[in-house]
Coordinates of all heavy atoms in Angstrom, one line a residue:
G420 N 2.9 -14.6 -15.8 CA 3.6 -14.7 -17.1 C 4.5 -13.4 -17.4 O 5.2 -13.4 -18.4
M421 N 4.3 -12.4 -16.5 CA 5.1 -11.1 -16.8 C 6.6 -11.3 -16.5 O 6.9 -11.8 -15.4 CB 4.5 -10.0 -15.9 CG 5.1 -8.7 -16.1 SD 4.2 -7.5 -15.1 CE 5.4 -6.2 -15.3
K422 N 7.4 -10.9 -17.4 CA 8.8 -11.0 -17.2 C 9.3 -9.8 -16.5 O 9.0 -8.7 -17.0 CB 9.5 -11.2 -18.5 CG 9.2 -12.5 -19.2 CD 10.2 -12.8 -20.4 CE 9.9 -14.1 -21.1 NZ 8.9 -15.0 -20.6
V423 N 10.1 -9.9 -15.5 CA 10.7 -8.8 -14.8 C 12.2 -8.9 -14.6 O 12.7 -10.0 -14.5 CB 10.0 -8.5 -13.4 CG1 8.6 -7.9 -13.5 CG2 10.0 -9.8 -12.5
T424 N 12.8 -7.8 -14.5 CA 14.3 -7.8 -14.3 C 14.5 -7.2 -12.8 O 13.9 -6.2 -12.5 CB 15.0 -6.8 -15.3 OG1 14.6 -7.3 -16.6 CG2 16.5 -6.9 -15.1
G425 N 15.3 -8.0 -12.1 CA 15.6 -7.5 -10.7 C 14.9 -8.3 -9.7 O 13.7 -8.7 -9.9
E426 N 15.5 -8.6 -8.6 CA 14.9 -9.4 -7.5 C 15.5 -9.1 -6.2 O 16.8 -9.0 -6.1 CB 15.0 -10.9 -7.9 CG 14.3 -11.8 -6.9 CD 14.4 -13.2 -7.4 OE1 15.3 -13.6 -8.0 OE2 13.4 -14.0 -7.0
A427 N 14.7 -9.1 -5.1 CA 15.3 -9.0 -3.8 C 15.9 -10.4 -3.4 O 15.2 -11.4 -3.5 CB 14.2 -8.7 -2.8
V428 N 17.2 -10.3 -3.1 CA 17.9 -11.6 -2.8 C 17.9 -11.9 -1.3 O 17.6 -13.0 -0.9 CB 19.4 -11.5 -3.3 CG1 20.2 -12.7 -2.9 CG2 19.4 -11.3 -4.8
S429 N 18.2 -10.8 -0.6 CA 18.1 -11.0 0.9 C 17.5 -9.7 1.5 O 17.6 -8.6 1.0 CB 19.6 -11.1 1.5 OG 20.1 -12.3 1.0
V430 N 16.7 -9.9 2.6 CA 15.9 -8.8 3.2 C 16.1 -8.9 4.7 O 16.0 -10.0 5.3 CB 14.4 -9.0 2.8 CG1 13.6 -7.9 3.5 CG2 14.2 -8.9 1.3
L431 N 16.5 -7.8 5.3 CA 16.7 -7.7 6.7 C 15.6 -6.8 7.4 O 15.3 -5.7 6.9 CB 18.1 -7.2 7.1 CG 19.2 -8.1 6.6 CD1 19.8 -7.6 5.3 CD2 20.3 -8.1 7.7
S432 N 15.1 -7.3 8.5 CA 14.2 -6.5 9.3 C 14.9 -6.2 10.6 O 15.2 -7.1 11.4 CB 12.9 -7.2 9.5 OG 12.1 -6.6 10.5
R433 N 15.1 -4.9 10.9 CA 15.8 -4.5 12.1 C 17.1 -5.4 12.3 O 17.4 -5.9 13.4 CB 14.9 -4.5 13.3 CG 14.1 -3.2 13.4 CD 13.1 -3.2 14.5 NE 12.0 -4.1 14.3 CZ 11.8 -5.3 14.8 NH1 12.7 -5.7 15.7 NH2 10.8 -6.1 14.5
G434 N 17.8 -5.6 11.2 CA 19.1 -6.2 11.3 C 19.1 -7.7 11.2 O 20.1 -8.4 11.2
E435 N 17.9 -8.3 11.2 CA 17.8 -9.8 11.2 C 17.3 -10.2 9.8 O 16.4 -9.6 9.3 CB 16.9 -10.3 12.2 CG 17.3 -10.0 13.7 CD 18.6 -10.6 14.0 OE1 19.0 -11.7 13.5 OE2 19.4 -10.0 14.8
F436 N 17.9 -11.3 9.3 CA 17.5 -11.8 8.0 C 16.1 -12.3 8.1 O 15.7 -13.1 9.0 CB 18.4 -12.9 7.5 CG 19.7 -12.5 6.9 CD1 20.8 -12.6 7.6 CD2 19.7 -11.9 5.6 CE1 22.0 -12.2 7.1 CE2 20.9 -11.5 5.1 CZ 22.1 -11.6 5.8
V437 N 15.2 -11.9 7.1 CA 13.9 -12.5 7.0 C 13.9 -13.4 5.7 O 13.4 -14.5 5.7 CB 12.8 -11.4 6.8 CG1 11.4 -12.1 6.7 CG2 12.8 -10.5 8.0
I438 N 14.6 -12.8 4.7 CA 14.9 -13.6 3.5 C 16.4 -13.6 3.3 O 17.0 -12.6 3.4 CB 14.2 -12.9 2.2 CG1 12.7 -12.6 2.4 CG2 14.6 -13.7 1.0 CD1 11.9 -13.8 2.5
R439 N 16.9 -14.8 3.1 CA 18.4 -14.9 2.9 C 18.6 -15.8 1.7 O 18.2 -16.9 1.6 CB 19.0 -15.5 4.1 CG 20.5 -15.5 4.0 CD 21.3 -15.8 5.3 NE 22.6 -15.3 5.2 CZ 23.4 -15.0 6.2 NH1 23.1 -15.2 7.4 NH2 24.6 -14.6 5.9
D440 N 19.3 -15.2 0.7 CA 19.5 -15.9 -0.5 C 18.2 -16.5 -1.1 O 18.2 -17.7 -1.4 CB 20.6 -17.0 -0.4 CG 21.9 -16.3 0.0 OD1 22.2 -15.2 -0.4 OD2 22.7 -16.9 0.8
K441 N 17.2 -15.7 -1.1 CA 15.9 -16.1 -1.7 C 15.1 -17.1 -0.8 O 14.1 -17.7 -1.3 CB 16.0 -16.5 -3.1 CG 16.7 -15.5 -4.0 CD 16.6 -15.9 -5.5 CE 17.6 -15.0 -6.2 NZ 17.6 -15.3 -7.6
Q442 N 15.6 -17.4 0.4 CA 14.9 -18.4 1.2 C 14.3 -17.6 2.4 O 15.0 -16.8 3.0 CB 15.8 -19.5 1.7 CG 16.4 -20.3 0.6 CD 15.4 -21.1 -0.2 OE1 14.4 -21.6 0.4 NE2 15.5 -21.0 -1.5
F443 N 13.1 -18.0 2.8 CA 12.5 -17.4 4.0 C 13.2 -18.0 5.3 O 13.2 -19.2 5.5 CB 11.0 -17.7 4.1 CG 10.4 -17.2 5.4 CD1 10.4 -15.8 5.7 CD2 9.8 -18.1 6.2 CE1 9.8 -15.4 6.8 CE2 9.2 -17.6 7.4 CZ 9.2 -16.3 7.7
V444 N 13.8 -17.1 6.1 CA 14.5 -17.6 7.3 C 13.9 -16.9 8.6 O 14.5 -17.0 9.6 CB 16.0 -17.4 7.2 CG1 16.6 -18.3 6.1 CG2 16.3 -15.9 7.0
G445 N 12.8 -16.1 8.4 CA 12.3 -15.4 9.5 C 11.3 -16.3 10.3 O 11.2 -17.5 10.1
S446 N 10.7 -15.6 11.3 CA 9.6 -16.4 12.0 C 8.5 -15.5 12.4 O 8.7 -14.3 12.8 CB 10.2 -17.1 13.2 OG 11.1 -16.4 13.9
P447 N 7.3 -16.1 12.3 CA 6.1 -15.3 12.6 C 6.2 -14.7 14.0 O 6.6 -15.4 15.0 CB 5.0 -16.3 12.5 CG 5.5 -17.4 11.6 CD 7.0 -17.4 11.9
G448 N 5.8 -13.5 14.2 CA 5.8 -12.8 15.5 C 7.0 -11.9 15.7 O 7.0 -11.1 16.7
T449 N 8.0 -12.0 14.8 CA 9.1 -11.1 15.0 C 8.9 -9.7 14.5 O 9.5 -8.7 14.9 CB 10.4 -11.7 14.3 OG1 10.1 -12.0 13.0 CG2 10.9 -12.9 15.0
G450 N 7.9 -9.6 13.6 CA 7.5 -8.2 13.2 C 6.8 -7.5 14.3 O 6.0 -8.1 15.1
K451 N 7.2 -6.2 14.5 CA 6.6 -5.5 15.6 C 5.6 -4.4 15.1 O 5.8 -3.8 14.1 CB 7.8 -4.8 16.4 CG 8.7 -5.8 17.1 CD 9.4 -5.1 18.2 CE 10.0 -6.1 19.2 NZ 10.9 -7.0 18.6
Y452 N 4.6 -4.2 16.0 CA 3.7 -3.1 15.7 C 4.4 -1.7 15.9 O 5.1 -1.6 17.0 CB 2.5 -3.2 16.7 CG 1.6 -2.0 16.6 CD1 0.7 -1.9 15.4 CD2 1.5 -1.0 17.5 CE1 -0.1 -0.8 15.3 CE2 0.6 0.1 17.3 CZ -0.2 0.1 16.2 OH -1.0 1.2 16.1

Side-chain angles (χ1 to χ4, degrees):
M421 185 177 167
K422 292 191 180 0
V423 285
T424 305
E426 183 174 30
V428 175
S429 295
V430 177
L431 296 97
S432 167
R433 281 176 286 101
E435 297 300 328
F436 282 104
V437 182
I438 306 295
R439 185 164 202 165
D440 298 328
K441 303 187 193 177
Q442 298 300 316
F443 176 63
V444 294
S446 37
T449 51
K451 292 202 164 57
Y452 176 73

